[in-house]
């Protein structure tokens, strides 16, 4: 009986609670109506600004309360204040702490990264704004209607406007769509803005970067050097080695245009303007069959925006160059973006330029003018670079899109040499110009196509007047690549997709050399029309535990009448919620390579020239690679371990740039590399730290040379990098170091020259690459800070310091016969000494 009474009592209390809750919810009224009722009840008048009370809805106070108690009640729920201005008049006004527009910051709930280009919409009245790069938004009006947040990569969210009525702009979290997360293994790899995807690629967004040590602003290709398996034995981005390969074995695409030049200032600076919203897909293995002409990595760079934003612009400068960028919204379905950058190194010698200058021109024709010629010869030099880009996008209807792109890059060096009796001139230039047009069409939910046509023209030329005699040398290397591709994608089932396509490329390579004394003239031109067919399957089951891509590329090289089939695959399998396994493999080829004819070519600066495979002395290069990786990830830890084997056949001794007994040899060989790459990352609330380690054994095999097997010129057996990064709101600080074992070099077998042929003395060497340079170590730091100037403008500044300890790192050593022809001298090339750089950027 007691139990029954207790149940009746519980049931009665529950009904009473539901009734009271419903009554309370029903009784909530807008503050405007409530003030009107109170005014009528107490015979008073409230004066207020409509916008300041528009957002409030509250439950009315008890009608029996005194006026002062009612006003206190309203103040506690709205923070509004009341001021008596007469017997019957009250002024309603905002607390100064809350007197601001409705604003906030949007962040990714999973990664705490800011969300850009989210639409913030006030329901019922159609007001819309978009979040900025730092996630900030500000509503132009105040309304009582709900506020809705919409972004294609995140779940929509609705909040009450009162949630924004706080002293500061609050932080609002959006949850990523599940289907977006299925493509991602790690949202934050090394720093914000770098994502590891399930297809094995790294997706890099420089504008989203937290910060990396030694970089005051995002440099796309400098960033690659800090990834496991990517090194540069001479610090330059024009000599990137990915898993033991040479730079020309990497494929670089910019909006579908093949780039044959990647560095400004002889490789110390990337040619890609950091002001652009780049997105880079970087692949080391398991490459899609749609990419050809590379036996090493692929860097596919895009500046296309997902959304047509409102117009904006930025200008910035560092201690080397100044740049600008503007994107103009032409209509709701079209925009154009223009960027430009130019160095001021030809008229202003900053401390940063002086350090770069010393690093680049050491032991070249430029500096040898002072070292090896009489004192009465004077020389001056002027160097500058620039780059410009154009991008136009037009949406046609809801399912079609047209884009047009253009890029131009140029580096120019002039050297003037004076004596009392004559004046001589030398000139050097390097340029790359490219255009592309792309049409994308979404024919249905299951079928889409993409057509792309592009052109790329590269030229390297040098004109050299000798200061000691009347010899004049003219050299030129050029490449013209005309390309067209079509790609189709059809979803066969909910889990299977078929991608296929066709590509045709016409490539022409020219090499010209002209010397007046002794007379020599050479002009070689090779042209090839190449075709490729592609078929590729993707398997993505509903469980989201497996990702499989496999396919093949069928290449036909017209000049050589040679056909190659290249299977590729990548498999990712989730073993648990935190652990995944991946297996990848590929066969690849390329018909172009860069070689060095003479170390003094092109003033001894950018001395590599492009040549085309001829099937004889220069074969098509072929690579095979297989890799096995394991990844562990939770909210705070990320651990990635990759093991790989790679073999590249068809390389030439000229491509490898030997400066020993094989400098003038013409031989065909291969290299073989076994490697391990480890990456560990730990995330805290405002801190992040990571380290990367790689180990590899990389050896040449040249059957035609007397020493058939020896270490690769690019072999760095051990390499290590680490960083600690602090990222809080608009302040970012990074400190990190890089270390690697020394690269191989060859020592002379004797301290005296071999004069068996007195007219042509030589150096006798030990076994090739028998010694190693001392270890390389560099400590770097960066800091950046941004400030909001107005509603639509901001300013950002940054500072970086390379080689804080000013360590003298030896990065190359070779030997030559001295100018007197009587002895051997060693030539040492050193890395950058301590180098400070600063930048400032204004966006509006």
């Amino acid at each position: 009986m007691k139990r029954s009474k207790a149940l009746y009592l519980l049931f009665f209390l529950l009904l009473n609670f539901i009734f009271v809750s419903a009554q309370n919810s029903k009784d909530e009224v807008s503050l405007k109506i409530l003030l009107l009722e109170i005014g009528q009840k107490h015979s008073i008048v409230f004066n207020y600004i409509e916008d300041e009370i528009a957002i409030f809805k509250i439950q009315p106070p008890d009608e029996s309360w005194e006026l002062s108690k009612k006003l206190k009640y309203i103040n506690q729920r709205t923070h509004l204040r009341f001021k008596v201005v007469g017997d019957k008049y009250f002024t309603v006004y905002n607390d100064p702490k809350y007197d601001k527009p409705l604003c906030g910051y949007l962040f990714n709930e999973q990664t705490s990264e800011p969300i850009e280009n989210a639409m913030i919409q006030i329901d019922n009245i159609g007001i819309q704004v978009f979040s900025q790069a730092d996630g900030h938004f500000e509503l132009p009006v105040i309304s009582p209607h709900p506020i809705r947040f919409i972004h294609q990569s995140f779940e929509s969210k609705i909040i009450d406007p009162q949630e924004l009525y706080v002293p500061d702009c609050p932080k609002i979290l959006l949850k990523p769509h599940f289907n977006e997360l299925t493509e991602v293994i790690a949202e934050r790899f090394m720093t914000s803005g770098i994502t590891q995807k399930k297809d094995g690629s790294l997706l890099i967004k420089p504008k989203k970067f937290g910060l990396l040590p030694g970089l005051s602003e995002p440099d796309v290709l400098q960033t690659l050097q800090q990834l496991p398996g990517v090194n540069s034995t001479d610090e330059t981005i024009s000599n990137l080695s990915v898993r033991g390969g040479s730079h020309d074995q990497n494929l670089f695409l910019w909006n579908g245009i093949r780039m044959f030049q990647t560095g400004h200032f002889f490789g110390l600076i990337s040619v890609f303007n950091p002001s652009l919203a780049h997105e880079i897909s970087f692949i080391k293995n398991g490459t899609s069959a749609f990419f050809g002409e590379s036996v090493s990595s692929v860097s596919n760079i895009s500046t296309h925006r997902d959304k047509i934003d409102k117009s904006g612009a930025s200008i910035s400068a560092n201690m080397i160059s100044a740049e600008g960028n503007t994107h103009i919204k032409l209509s709701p379905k079209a925009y154009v973006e223009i960027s430009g950058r130019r160095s001021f190194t030809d008229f202003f010698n900053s401390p940063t330029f002086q350090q770069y200058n010393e690093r680049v021109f050491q032991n070249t024709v430029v500096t040898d003018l002072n070292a090896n010629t009489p004192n009465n010869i004077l020389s001056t030099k002027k160097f500058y670079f620039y780059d410009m880009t154009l991008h136009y996008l037009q949406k046609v209807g809801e399912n079609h899109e047209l884009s047009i792109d253009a890029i131009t890059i140029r580096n120019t060096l002039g050297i003037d040499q004076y004596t009392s009796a004559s004046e001589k001139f030398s000139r050097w230039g390097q340029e790359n110009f490219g255009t592309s047009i792309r049409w994308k069409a979404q024919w249905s939910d299951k079928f889409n196509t993409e057509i792309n046509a592009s052109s790329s023209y590269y030229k390297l030329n040098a004109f050299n007047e000798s200061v000691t005699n009347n010899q004049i040398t003219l050299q030129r290397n050029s490449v013209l690549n005309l390309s067209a591709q079509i790609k189709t994608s059809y979803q066969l089932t909910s889990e299977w997709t078929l991608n296929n396509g066709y590509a045709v490329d016409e490539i022409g390579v020219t090499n010209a050399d002209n010397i007046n004394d002794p007379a020599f003239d050479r002009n070689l031109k090779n042209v090839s029309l190449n075709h490729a067919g592609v078929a590729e399957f993707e398997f993505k089951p509903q469980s989201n535990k497996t990702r499989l891509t496999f396919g093949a590329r069928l290449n036909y090289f017209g000049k050589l009448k040679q056909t190659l089939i290249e299977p590729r695959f990548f498999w990712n399998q989730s073993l648990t919620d935190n652990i995944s396994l991946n297996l990848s493999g590929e066969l690849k080829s390329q018909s172009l390579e860069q070689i060095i004819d003479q170390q003094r070519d092109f003033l001894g600066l950018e001395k590599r020239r492009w040549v085309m495979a001829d099937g004889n002395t220069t074969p098509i290069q072929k690579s095979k690679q297989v890799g096995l990786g394991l990844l562990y990830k939770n909210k705070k830890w990320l651990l990635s371990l990759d093991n790989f084997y790679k073999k590249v056949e068809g390389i030439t001794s000229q491509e490898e740039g030997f400066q020993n007994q094989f400098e003038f040899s013409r031989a065909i060989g291969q290299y073989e590399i076994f490697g391990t790459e480890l990456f560990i990352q730990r995330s805290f609330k405002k801190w992040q730290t990571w380290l990367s380690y790689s180990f590899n054994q990389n050896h040449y095999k040249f059957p035609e040379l007397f020493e058939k097997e020896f270490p690769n010129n690019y072999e760095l057996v051990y390499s290590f990098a680490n960083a600690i990064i602090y990222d809080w709101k608009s302040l970012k600080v990074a400190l990190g170091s890089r270390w690697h074992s020394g690269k191989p070099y060859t020592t002379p077998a004797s301290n005296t020259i071999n004069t068996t042929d007195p007219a042509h003395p030589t150096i006798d060497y030990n076994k090739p690459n028998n010694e190693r340079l001392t270890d390389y170590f560099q400590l770097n730091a960066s800091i950046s800070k941004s400030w909001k100037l107005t509603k639509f403008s901001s300013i950002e500044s940054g500072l970086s310091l390379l080689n804080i300890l000013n360590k003298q790192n030896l990065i190359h050593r070779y030997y030559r016969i001295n100018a007197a022809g009587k002895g051997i001298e060693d030539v040492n090339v050193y890395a950058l000494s301590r180098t400070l750089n600063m930048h400032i950027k204004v966006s509006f």
Side-chain angles (χ1 to χ4, degrees):
M1 188 69 178
K2 290 182 179 180
R3 184 176 180 183
S4 299
K5 288 183 178 180
L7 287 174
Y8 280 124
L9 178 60
L10 180 62
F11 180 69
F12 173 77
L13 291 174
L14 181 60
L15 282 178
N16 185 64
F17 174 78
I18 294 173
F19 174 77
V20 171
S21 298
Q23 187 66 31
N24 288 344
S25 175
K26 182 179 179 181
D27 286 344
E28 276 194 354
V29 297
S30 72
L31 183 59
K32 182 177 179 179
I33 294 175
L34 179 59
L35 292 177
L36 181 62
E37 291 176 351
I38 293 175
Q40 292 173 347
K41 173 74 174 177
H42 296 276
S43 302
I44 59 174
V45 177
F46 291 102
N47 296 318
Y48 49 79
I49 298 173
E50 189 82 25
D51 281 353
E52 291 186 352
I53 69 168
I55 64 172
F56 297 109
K57 285 185 178 181
I58 63 173
Q59 182 183 353
D62 193 314
E63 290 186 6
S64 63
W65 288 357
E66 295 179 354
L67 175 62
S68 59
K69 189 173 181 180
K70 290 179 180 178
L71 298 184
K72 184 177 181 181
Y73 171 84
I74 295 173
N75 170 260
Q76 289 173 345
R77 282 155 179 77
T78 66
H79 301 286
L80 292 173
R81 297 185 178 185
F82 297 89
K83 182 178 181 182
V84 181
V85 293
D87 292 340
K88 295 184 178 182
Y89 294 93
F90 286 76
T91 297
V92 184
Y93 63 97
N94 255 327
D95 185 321
K97 292 189 298 183
Y98 298 82
D99 192 11
K100 63 172 183 58
L102 298 183
C103 60
Y105 288 89
L106 292 181
F107 288 91
N108 186 324
E109 185 180 84
Q110 300 285 335
T111 67
S112 298
E113 293 180 6
I115 300 172
E116 185 179 9
N117 293 326
M119 184 174 72
I120 298 92
Q121 175 180 290
I122 302 176
D123 282 358
N124 301 328
I125 62 174
I127 297 293
Q128 296 177 352
V129 297
F130 293 90
S131 59
Q132 300 172 9
D134 59 354
H136 181 264
F137 68 89
E138 189 174 293
L139 297 173
V141 299
I142 296 177
S143 165
H145 301 295
I147 299 170
R148 188 182 303 269
F149 301 93
I150 303 171
H151 192 286
Q152 61 182 2
S153 299
F154 296 85
E155 295 180 6
S156 296
K157 186 173 186 175
I158 301 175
I159 66 170
D160 189 278
Q162 290 190 57
E163 293 186 37
L164 302 182
Y165 188 69
V166 291
D168 297 315
C169 298
K171 182 177 179 180
I172 298 168
L173 304 178
L174 298 187
K175 189 174 183 179
H177 278 310
F178 179 74
N179 60 349
E180 292 290 328
L181 294 175
T182 61
E183 300 299 315
V184 172
I185 294 178
E187 280 272 5
R188 186 174 177 135
F189 186 93
M190 186 175 289
T191 183
S192 58
I194 303 181
T195 301
Q196 187 173 17
K197 301 186 70 177
K198 283 195 172 181
D199 62 3
S201 66
L202 288 174
L203 186 64
I204 304 169
K205 297 181 179 181
K207 278 208 165 183
K208 299 289 187 180
F209 281 174
L211 199 64
L212 289 174
L215 299 180
S216 61
E217 55 185 333
D219 187 305
V220 174
L221 301 185
Q222 289 283 7
T223 302
L224 293 184
Q225 289 191 51
Q226 306 203 44
L227 299 176
V230 184
N231 291 293
S232 176
T233 56
D234 62 2
E235 291 187 317
T236 68
I237 52 179
S238 57
N239 195 24
L240 286 180
S241 174
V242 180
R243 291 186 169 177
S246 55
H247 185 76
D248 58 314
Q249 294 172 349
N250 302 312
L251 176 66
F252 296 92
L253 297 171
W254 184 87
N255 290 341
I257 303 167
R258 183 174 182 183
M259 303 302 299
F260 295 94
Q261 177 186 350
T262 57
H264 282 314
F265 214 137
F266 309 98
L268 293 178
I269 301 170
S270 167
V271 297
F272 304 114
N273 191 324
S275 294
L276 292 172
H278 290 113
E279 182 175 285
I280 304 98
S281 178
F282 179 67
I283 311 166
K284 292 185 285 188
N285 192 9
T287 311
S288 167
F290 284 92
F291 297 108
E293 277 298 321
S294 78
V295 294
S296 199
S297 72
V298 173
S299 296
N300 188 20
I301 304 167
S302 172
T303 64
H304 296 170
R305 295 171 181 263
D306 295 331
K307 189 176 184 62
I308 299 179
D309 303 324
K310 61 184 179 181
S311 299
S314 68
I315 54 173
S316 61
N318 55 39
M319 298 179 73
I320 295 290
S321 62
E323 64 205 47
N325 165 257
T326 181
H327 61 274
I328 303 169
K329 184 176 181 179
L330 303 176
S331 73
K333 292 191 174 184
Y335 77 90
V336 63
E337 184 166 23
I338 302 170
S339 77
R341 173 172 53 168
R342 191 193 188 280
S343 69
F344 36 75
T345 51
D346 51 336
F347 58 85
F348 176 64
N349 291 341
S350 68
T352 307
F353 168 75
Q354 292 171 15
Q355 297 293 349
Y356 280 26
N357 182 73
E358 291 178 10
R359 160 65 186 88
V360 167
F361 296 119
Q362 57 182 312
N363 298 308
T364 64
V365 170
V366 179
T367 50
D368 284 352
L369 294 173
N370 297 322
N372 296 327
T373 56
N375 292 329
N376 60 346
I377 297 179
L378 302 175
S379 67
T380 61
K381 59 180 180 291
K382 282 190 176 183
F383 168 78
Y384 70 91
F385 64 80
Y386 67 80
D387 58 72
M388 294 183 291
T389 68
L390 169 69
H391 169 58
Y392 171 76
L393 183 136
Q394 175 70 59
K395 292 184 180 292
V396 182
E398 296 298 323
N399 301 314
H400 297 264
E401 183 180 285
L402 172 69
S403 60
I404 299 173
D405 294 277
I407 184 170
T408 182
I409 299 161
R410 182 165 179 81
N411 284 244
T412 298
L413 171 68
I415 307 170
D416 298 335
Q417 305 160 42
Y418 307 91
T419 67
S420 57
S422 65
E423 181 178 357
K424 300 294 179 72
F425 305 95
S426 293
R427 298 290 181 267
W428 177 95
Q430 185 182 33
E431 61 183 316
N432 203 156
F433 175 75
T435 60
S436 72
I437 181 170
R438 185 186 69 172
W439 181 274
K440 293 177 68 176
Q442 185 74 43
W443 302 104
S444 69
D445 292 340
K446 294 185 176 182
F447 182 63
N448 64 76
T449 60
E450 181 177 323
I451 300 173
N452 187 80
S454 66
S455 67
S456 182
Y457 177 70
Y458 166 83
K459 184 171 72 172
L460 173 66
N461 60 77
F463 173 81
N464 186 18
E465 283 189 291
S466 174
V467 69
T468 56
N469 53 48
N470 294 320
Q471 187 181 77
I472 299 174
T473 304
L474 178 65
Q475 296 179 304
R476 180 166 61 89
N477 174 226
S478 65
V479 182
L480 177 62
N481 187 185
L482 303 176
S483 177
Q485 303 96 25
I486 181 171
K487 176 182 177 180
T488 68
S489 180
Y490 182 72
Q491 188 174 347
L492 301 173
T493 68
S494 61
E495 297 181 337
W496 286 93
T497 301
L498 170 63
N499 304 314
N500 54 53
Y502 167 76
V504 57
D505 287 84
E506 184 177 51
I507 305 175
V509 181
T510 300
N511 277 288
D513 296 86
N514 181 276
I515 303 175
N516 67 332
D517 185 21
F520 175 80
D521 185 65
R522 178 181 69 168
N523 194 334
L524 302 176
K525 184 173 183 178
N526 292 288
V527 179
S528 182
L529 186 64
N530 303 332
H531 303 265
V534 175
E536 190 173 75
F537 288 91
E538 292 183 55
F539 175 61
K540 303 177 186 178
Q542 298 291 332
S543 66
N544 189 37
K545 293 186 177 296
T546 303
R547 171 68 185 265
L548 175 65
T549 303
F550 64 94
R553 181 182 181 91
L554 178 64
N555 289 315
Y556 176 74
F557 299 95
K559 179 179 174 62
L560 302 179
K561 295 181 173 54
Q562 187 173 348
T563 301
L564 294 175
I565 299 177
E566 300 170 358
R568 322 250 181 104
F569 73 92
F570 186 90
W571 172 51
N572 177 271
Q573 180 65 49
S574 296
L575 304 179
T576 70
D577 291 341
N578 302 108
I579 301 174
S580 62
L581 181 75
N582 64 72
L583 180 66
S584 57
E586 61 184 23
L587 296 184
K588 296 168 69 177
S589 64
Q590 68 181 64
S591 61
L592 296 184
E593 67 176 63
Q594 282 185 303
I595 67 167
I596 299 176
D597 262 351
Q598 303 286 336
Q599 291 292 337
R600 305 298 254 183
D601 282 353
F602 300 98
L603 304 185
L605 296 166
E606 196 70 44
K607 50 204 171 188
R608 294 180 175 273
R609 61 174 80 204
W610 289 95
V611 297
M612 181 180 291
D614 58 12
N616 186 17
T617 58
T618 309
I620 290 177
Q621 294 185 4
K622 304 171 188 176
S623 72
K624 57 183 70 172
Q625 184 178 186
V626 63
L628 177 65
L630 188 69
L631 185 135
Y632 171 80
K633 182 195 71 169
N634 61 26
K635 289 185 178 181
K636 295 183 178 180
W637 285 96
L638 172 66
L639 187 149
S640 174
L641 178 66
D642 289 288
N643 297 279
F644 68 92
Y645 165 76
K646 178 179 173 184
K647 182 178 181 180
V648 178
E649 299 173 309
I651 65 172
T652 64
S653 55
Q654 290 175 286
E655 180 186 20
E656 300 307 300
F658 292 114
Q659 287 185 277
N660 53 19
Q661 59 266 59
F662 301 141
E663 181 173 347
F664 304 106
S665 300
R666 302 292 184 266
I668 299 171
Q670 66 182 43
Y671 69 83
E672 196 171 32
I673 176 171
F674 297 85
T676 296
E677 297 163 0
L678 174 66
F679 180 81
I680 302 175
Q681 176 177 290
R682 175 70 162 86
S683 298
F684 304 88
K685 188 172 182 180
K686 298 173 184 176
W687 296 84
Q688 180 171 326
T689 183
W690 56 262
L691 66 87
S692 67
Y693 167 82
S694 64
F695 165 81
N696 71 75
Q697 291 186 327
N698 189 358
H699 283 74
Y700 290 125
K701 289 183 181 179
F702 281 97
E704 301 172 30
L705 300 178
F706 65 83
E707 191 70 39
K708 295 180 173 27
E709 185 172 347
F710 51 94
N712 192 302
N713 291 344
Y714 297 97
E715 183 186 54
L716 302 177
V717 179
Y718 306 101
S719 63
F720 172 88
N722 74 315
I724 183 167
I725 301 167
Y726 177 77
D727 191 339
W728 182 68
K729 291 187 177 180
S730 59
L731 176 65
K732 301 168 185 176
V733 182
L735 177 68
S737 64
R738 297 171 61 193
W739 172 91
H740 63 70
S741 54
K743 62 173 280 191
Y745 73 102
T746 308
T747 58
S750 171
N751 292 328
T752 59
I753 59 177
N754 185 332
T755 56
T756 304
D757 182 356
H760 300 92
T762 59
I763 300 175
D764 292 328
Y765 286 95
N766 287 308
K767 289 186 176 183
N769 289 343
N770 65 310
E771 290 288 347
R772 291 186 179 272
L773 301 177
T774 54
D775 294 349
Y776 174 100
F777 177 76
Q778 192 180 74
L779 181 66
N780 307 313
S782 299
I783 183 171
S784 72
K785 180 79 168 69
S786 61
W787 298 266
K788 195 167 183 63
L789 299 178
T790 67
K791 182 177 179 180
F792 300 107
S793 64
S794 62
I795 186 170
E796 176 187 315
S797 65
L799 181 147
S800 66
L801 191 59
L802 278 169
N803 197 3
I804 296 173
L805 303 179
N806 203 28
K807 188 175 187 302
Q808 191 176 50
N809 287 304
L810 180 62
I811 56 176
H812 185 48
R813 173 178 288 165
Y814 65 95
Y815 297 86
R816 66 186 178 190
I817 298 174
N818 61 27
K822 296 182 180 179
I824 299 173
E825 63 182 10
D826 62 331
V827 181
N828 295 320
V829 179
Y830 293 96
L832 274 169
S833 55
R834 184 187 296 122
T835 304
L836 174 71
N837 200 0
M838 296 182 288
H839 94 280
I840 186 168
K841 179 178 181 180
V842 179
S843 302
F844 48 91

